Amino acid sequence: MGTTLAWDDPQLTRGYGLVRAQLQAGRANDLLGVAHAAEHGEKVPYVLYHPGFTRSGDASARPVEESVAAVHDFIDDPPKAPLTAVDRGRRLPLTLRTLDAGDAARLAAITAGIRA
């Protein structure tokens, strides 16, 4: 799966797997953040924040308190840019393939068409 979505099956109704679903959800979240920023980012900036692995039974992962600390900073001093992407404390370039505006618009349109 890598950095792309299962465009022919965005809800993973075929071949579901836990890791596949997590990768799909992560990519979809990133793209929908890009779509939000394109439409509303001047008024409501969007932050894509990945804290890294957070401790939930794994002693080598970051404690929850440490993982969420940056969220407080985003709330107290929101970024001015329509979209900000941060991975484990490092700002990411918005030119990453996983943040493609065309893919974001495509997914937003697909998502708008999905009915429960």
Side-chain angles (χ1 to χ4, degrees), residues 58-95:
D58 179 357
S60 66
R62 294 171 64 180
V64 172
E65 296 80 11
E66 186 179 325
S67 292
V68 301
V71 174
H72 296 284
D73 294 336
F74 296 134
I75 292 169
D76 293 340
D77 187 22
K80 304 298 183 252
L83 180 66
T84 301
V86 178
D87 184 356
R88 291 164 279 194
R90 185 174 58 98
R91 295 247 173 170
L92 300 176
L94 301 180
T95 56

Side-chain angles (χ1 to χ4, degrees), residues 4-13 24 28 31-32 35 101-116:
T4 62
L5 291 176
W7 290 107
D8 63 334
D9 186 19
Q11 293 179 294
L12 296 181
T13 60
Q24 178 95 335
L31 289 174
L32 291 174
D103 286 349
R106 180 180 179 190
L107 182 61
I110 289 170
T111 302
I114 294 174
R115 302 289 182 247

Side-chain angles (χ1 to χ4, degrees), residues 1-78:
M1 172 168 273
T3 61
T4 62
L5 291 176
W7 290 107
D8 63 334
D9 186 19
Q11 293 179 294
L12 296 181
T13 60
R14 301 178 306 276
Y16 177 87
L18 180 62
V19 172
R20 185 171 187 226
Q22 287 178 314
L23 290 171
Q24 178 95 335
R27 294 296 168 238
N29 185 65
D30 290 350
L31 289 174
L32 291 174
V34 171
H36 169 88
E39 188 170 344
H40 307 287
E42 293 298 326
K43 293 180 183 174
V44 183
Y46 199 95
V47 176
L48 295 168
Y49 172 61
H50 176 22
F53 291 106
T54 301
R55 187 174 297 153
S56 59
D58 179 357
S60 66
R62 294 171 64 180
V64 172
E65 296 80 11
E66 186 179 325
S67 292
V68 301
V71 174
H72 296 284
D73 294 336
F74 296 134
I75 292 169
D76 293 340
D77 187 22

